[in-house]
Structure formats: structure tokens, C-alpha cells
Amino acid sequence: MPKPPDVVGSHDAAANFAPLRPRLLRVAYRMLGSLSEAEDVVQDAYLRWHRTDRGEVRDPAGFLTRVVTRLCLDVLKSARNRRESYVGPWLPEPILTPEFEPDGDDITLTLMLALERLSPLERAAFLLHDVFGVGFDEIAATLDRDAAACRQLAARARAHVRSERPRFPVSAEQGRAIAAAFFQASRSGDLAALTSLLAGEAVFVSDGGGKRPAAINPVRGADRVARLLAGIARKVGAGASALLAVQSIDGLPGFVSCEPDGLLQTTALEIVGGRIVAIYVVRNPDKLRRLVGGAAAAGPHRSAGRP
């Protein structure tokens, strides 16, 4: 018995959309820094795709990338206002990279923070062209600008973020080793061990979102960072944190831990020349909800993936 036309149409829309969803989700997440917002955008794009006369669309991937990008630009307008009133430093929602991006790209948490300093149009032009390989004619149609203007947007963005790309990425093995050593040193309060792991210009950034204790401003300098972490270890007691997974977090070596308050946090490490130059800690529970089942289920000291 033939299916009703609306059921056939729904199946057709879903079948065409499903293979494109991972790429669309990456585009949206790179634009927004929030996986929950990215998922909402992709779902909105699917609903629009379902209502579209798909027989008139010759390039579904290009069409849907344009839709997702435009939706992200709308979200960014309100997101910037929210971030101006955010308590303390804002960090992207942590993504355990191998699980989210099996094919990967070269965008790390550090580069995402650099993208935050760009205008929404610069960010879109850079990501679409330099990361996702979209041509400038298509970007022009997406951003409602001419191709020359889009080239300028991407060039300005590229100049801003070029210094944030690691010239000598840390190996997976070295990243795992340094992340594990940092966890042990920071939780035991071993000042000498902490100092030996940190570069002189090291910075510590923690995002509690006003919902959990966190440094309200970045802490700079190896000595200050080491003393801060040693002080926290003395206050809460050695061994009070459990290491759940040594894991790549947005392309950086790091780990997921369960802290003395019983809640999760993620720690991502930027490493240059074998020393830690930046520590990014996400404690805001709103950004960690999707990790509660998977990371906690991994159990203490079990690796959940490769850095």
C-alpha cells in the first residue's frame, strides 16, 4: 500500500538531511561555541528543509550550509549581549573531540577563543572558506555581500587568528602524559611539580558562569598559577578529585574530573615546547550536562579517547 504523500515527503527530507547533519553541526558549533545552541540551529534548518521545495535545490549541502550560517548570525546577535553580562570569563562548551569530530579539523579551543574576537561576518567568512572549503561566490550569497568583500572579511579574520594556530602541535602521547601529570600535581598541591609543568607566561582561565566558584579574572604567570592551584589543593584536600578521563577537549589535551562538590569539570591544556601555556577550566554546570552520563560512566582513571 503506498505511503501518504506527507509521510513520503518526511522520509525523503530526513534521508537527504541525515548525511549532512554532522557537517552542519560542526559549522554551527564553530560559529556559536555552544553545542546546545548548534543543535537548535541544525534542527531549525531541518524544519526549513522539510518545508522547502527540494526538487528545486540542486546543491542540498550548499543550500543547508547557507541556512545554518544565516541562523547562526541571528543567534550571535543575542549571544553577544548575553556574554557581556556573563559572570567571569566565557569559554566554549567543551566537546570531547574524537566523539564529536571523527574526521576532525584544525580548530582548537584556543582558536575558537580568537574567533570570539571577530565580528560575526568575519567569523563566518573565515570558517566557511578556510575551514569548510566553501568558495567565495557561495559565501557572498550566504552573507549577502559581494565576493570581494567576503575575501576581505576572511583576510582580516585570518590575520587575527594566524598566531593562534600551533606551529608544532603536541603529540597525542605527550599530551596524555602532560595532562595526567598536571592532574596529579594540581590535586596534590605539589608546587615544584606544578612549576616544572608551566611555561613562565602561563595563564589560568576558569568558567563557572556565576554558578560554581571560579576565578573571576584570568590568572597570569607561572608562579601565581602554581600557587593558586596549590592553595586550592590545600583547601579541598589531596585526593578529593577523581580523574574520570584523559581526553582531547576541543582539540587540546586535557581531562574530565569529578570535583569535591560531586560535579564534573573539564580542563584543557594548551602546550608549547613541552610546557603548559594556558589552562582552560569549565565548571559551569550548564555547559557540562551532556558529559554527565558518558564521562562519569567511564569511571576513575579510565581514558575516554585519544588527545
Side-chain angles (χ1 to χ4, degrees):
M1 184 179 203
K3 294 181 179 179
D6 58 332
V7 175
V8 173
S10 297
H11 182 270
D12 174 66
N16 291 333
F17 189 87
L20 301 174
R21 189 178 186 280
R23 172 186 167 91
L24 297 174
L25 189 58
R26 284 200 298 276
V27 171
Y29 173 67
R30 295 313 189 192
M31 285 283 292
L32 302 174
S34 165
L35 186 54
S36 57
E37 288 181 339
E39 288 174 335
D40 289 343
V41 161
V42 172
Q43 180 61 23
D44 193 354
Y46 171 72
L47 295 176
R48 294 179 184 221
W49 174 244
H50 190 274
R51 296 192 297 266
T52 297
D53 182 357
R54 294 180 296 282
E56 298 297 316
V57 179
R58 289 183 292 179
D59 178 14
F63 173 85
L64 286 166
T65 298
R66 288 194 295 273
V67 171
V68 164
T69 301
R70 288 168 179 163
L71 290 170
C72 286
L73 290 172
D74 291 339
V75 173
L76 281 174
K77 294 175 184 177
S78 60
R80 290 198 167 224
N81 293 331
R82 293 197 305 272
R83 287 172 196 173
E84 286 177 1
S85 59
Y86 195 82
V87 178
W90 179 93
L91 292 173
E93 182 179 345
I95 300 298
L96 307 188
T97 310
E99 295 181 7
F100 179 59
E101 295 182 313
D103 54 349
D105 54 42
D106 62 351
I107 300 287
T108 64
L109 188 153
T110 307
L111 187 52
M112 289 183 69
L113 291 176
L115 293 175
E116 282 292 312
R117 299 192 288 270
L118 304 177
S119 73
L121 289 178
E122 288 172 338
R123 186 170 184 164
F126 173 80
L127 286 171
L128 290 176
H129 183 264
D130 286 40
V131 177
F132 296 104
V134 178
F136 281 115
D137 288 339
E138 188 171 341
I139 294 172
T142 301
L143 302 184
D144 196 23
R145 301 288 192 277
D146 61 41
C150 291
R151 286 190 181 90
Q152 291 179 344
L153 287 168
R156 285 201 299 268
R158 200 176 299 121
H160 281 298
V161 304
R162 184 178 292 123
S163 62
E164 304 297 340
R165 291 181 183 272
R167 282 182 283 178
F168 305 103
V170 64
S171 69
E173 294 75 16
Q174 186 182 29
R176 275 193 292 266
I178 292 175
F182 178 76
F183 175 84
Q184 294 299 329
S186 61
R187 271 45 179 191
S188 67
D190 188 332
L191 195 60
L194 281 167
T195 303
S196 71
L197 289 167
L198 299 173
E201 69 277 18
V203 60
F204 175 87
V205 182
S206 55
D207 177 347
K211 300 187 176 184
R212 290 174 75 191
I216 198 69
N217 294 303
V219 178
R220 301 182 184 277
D223 183 66
R224 292 185 63 199
V225 172
R227 292 185 182 280
L228 169 69
L229 294 171
I232 293 173
R234 286 195 301 271
K235 182 176 180 180
V236 303
S241 301
L243 177 63
L244 298 182
V246 176
Q247 174 71 58
S248 176
I249 299 170
D250 275 318
L252 296 181
F255 52 84
V256 183
S257 57
C258 183
E259 295 305 304
D261 58 6
L263 299 179
L264 298 184
Q265 75 177 39
T266 62
T267 302
L269 307 174
E270 184 182 0
I271 300 169
V272 176
R275 297 290 186 93
I276 299 169
V277 298
I279 304 158
Y280 301 105
V281 177
V282 174
R283 293 175 53 79
N284 185 342
D286 292 343
K287 297 183 178 184
L288 299 167
R289 286 173 182 163
R290 69 186 61 253
L291 300 184
V292 171
H301 308 290
R302 178 179 171 185
S303 173
R306 57 171 180 80

